[in-house]
Amino acid sequence: MTPYDTLEVRPPAEREAALLAALPQQVAHAQAHSPYFAELFAGVEAAAITSRAALAALPVTRKSDLIERQQTQAPFGGLTATPLADLAHVFASPGPIYDPEGCAADWWRFARALHAAGFVAGDLVHNTFSYHFTPAGFMLEGGARRLGCPVFPAGIGQTEQQVQAVADLRPAAYVGTPSFLRIIVDKADELRADVSSLKKALVSGEALPASLRQSLKARGICVRQAYATADLGLVAYETDAEEGLILDEGVLLEIVRPGTGDPVPEGEVGEVVVTSFNRDYPLIRFATGDLSAVLPGASPCGRTNVRIRGWLGRADQTTKIKGMFVHPAQIAQTLRRHPQVLRARLVVDNDTGADRMTLHCEAVATDEKLAAALVASLRELTKLRGEIAFCAPGGLANDGRVIEDRRRYD
């Protein structure tokens, strides 16, 4: 393994100390230059944010909140710390949510992920991410150019033209979604076109099934994954070890219980919350809405940063029951009232012919009094009546689900 830089192989304690040392400066920078964070962190002493516990006491900013915020304070809801005139691009993601791009080289920090996927200077990169509205095309282009790789900006669609371009230009590398790579190679078979120059790929934007990875490997294409968002840029990336995704060196990760900002124990599935040290867009405790979990130990590839399991679903499990929306945050509020309960999951079914909700609770000691108190809290907070079912600690699946909808309509 040849690291991208020495940051990837430094001792974990050294990395943690560096991240925590940078935290007060980033909080102060956000307070001074971002109207949103000046308001959100009013009264916060930036110099005191020197530990994970202090960070966890700060409020989260949810991706889902950006739409309303941006409608009242265009274009970025007051979150950016750099004037609009000093940015390079403005992008739109579904919602719509508008995202900035600064002028620095590899602003989204993708060179590290491309390097880990085997991209080297001189590789021609066939980039099938969109260059319109969303930032994905520019994200990967910035990283490729930083490595010294020329880029063919293919964009999406036009499968036959994509195949012809690969056959004519003989690119060594592909970036895009894994499903579109499969479409290209299948179309090449149909057209009897030679796309064998493709030897490496970095994919993102959707899940990579093991069967597809193996199918592409059989064709001589080594595929690696990256996890990124349009707001944060690169969050984590895969290496040749293929054992989880390694965090980017420019972010600080927390995994929190869905509907809260409370960190979960290591290994438990929860919502991905990221603090970025980007000076243009200083997102602090940014809740992505994605579920993942931290993997124990270090990667066999030699990189020493924390690993996560990858994308495990969405944290926003809001569901509608008898005409009322029930949110994960309401389940979290219920648990705060009853510390005897370690974890809980609200299961919704209609086995009796009508919507029924049951709060499954992990607890050491249980009795009718606790059950009755839980029923009362659940009714007060959700305006709906529910049942209680107790189980032993560890009895609930470790999958990040707070609300599970089992209703059937067939």
Side-chain angles (χ1 to χ4, degrees), residues 6-271:
T6 57
L7 296 178
E8 292 184 351
V9 293
R10 56 185 162 167
E14 181 182 320
R15 177 182 294 107
E16 182 76 357
L19 290 171
L20 295 179
L23 260 182
Q25 302 169 40
Q26 187 71 342
V27 171
H29 175 72
Q31 288 175 313
H33 300 284
S34 162
Y36 170 81
F37 284 109
E39 176 185 335
L40 187 67
F41 295 162
V44 171
E45 182 61 46
I49 311 301
T50 58
S51 67
R52 286 185 176 266
L55 178 65
L58 298 178
V60 298
T61 294
R62 298 197 173 277
K63 186 182 182 79
S64 56
D65 297 334
L66 294 185
I67 299 173
E68 181 178 353
R69 181 83 190 186
Q70 291 184 351
Q71 286 175 346
T72 58
Q73 294 189 42
F76 305 117
L79 273 74
T80 54
T82 296
L84 180 63
D86 295 330
L87 297 173
H89 294 100
V90 175
F91 298 101
S93 298
I97 295 174
Y98 297 100
D99 296 297
E101 180 188 29
C103 296
D106 192 22
W107 192 81
W108 308 92
R109 308 179 315 282
F110 255 91
R112 188 179 302 281
L114 291 166
H115 174 83
F119 289 49
V120 296
D123 282 344
L124 176 59
V125 177
H126 190 87
N127 186 357
T128 67
F129 280 118
S130 175
Y131 278 79
H132 302 94
F133 273 75
T134 62
F138 286 89
M139 285 181 171
L140 275 297
E141 170 143 341
R145 296 299 304 125
R146 185 65 177 266
L147 288 180
C149 298
V151 177
F152 178 71
I156 58 175
Q158 301 179 299
T159 308
E160 291 193 10
Q161 290 93 323
Q162 299 268 3
V163 170
Q164 183 176 349
V166 173
D168 291 345
L169 295 172
R170 311 294 295 164
Y174 166 95
V175 294
T177 63
S179 62
F180 194 51
L181 177 55
R182 184 199 64 214
I183 288 170
I184 288 175
V185 297
D186 287 349
K187 177 60 73 171
D189 288 345
E190 179 186 324
L191 298 174
R192 297 184 179 180
D194 181 4
V195 295
S196 62
S197 65
L198 290 175
K199 299 298 184 186
K200 60 195 81 172
L202 182 68
V203 300
S204 192
E206 61 187 29
L208 172 62
S211 58
L212 179 54
R213 188 201 291 269
Q214 286 304 118
S215 173
L216 292 168
K217 184 178 181 180
R219 302 183 67 112
I221 305 173
C222 178
V223 183
R224 301 282 179 256
Q225 304 174 78
Y227 168 45
T229 78
D231 324 272
L232 296 160
L234 181 68
V235 176
Y237 60 96
E238 192 175 33
T239 71
D240 54 8
E242 295 184 9
E243 293 187 11
L245 305 182
I246 296 176
L247 290 185
D248 177 57
E249 296 293 328
V251 300
L252 190 155
L253 174 95
E254 299 170 273
I255 304 291
V256 308
R257 201 167 306 286
T260 78
D262 305 330
V264 300
E266 183 174 311
E268 186 172 322
V269 175
E271 184 175 11

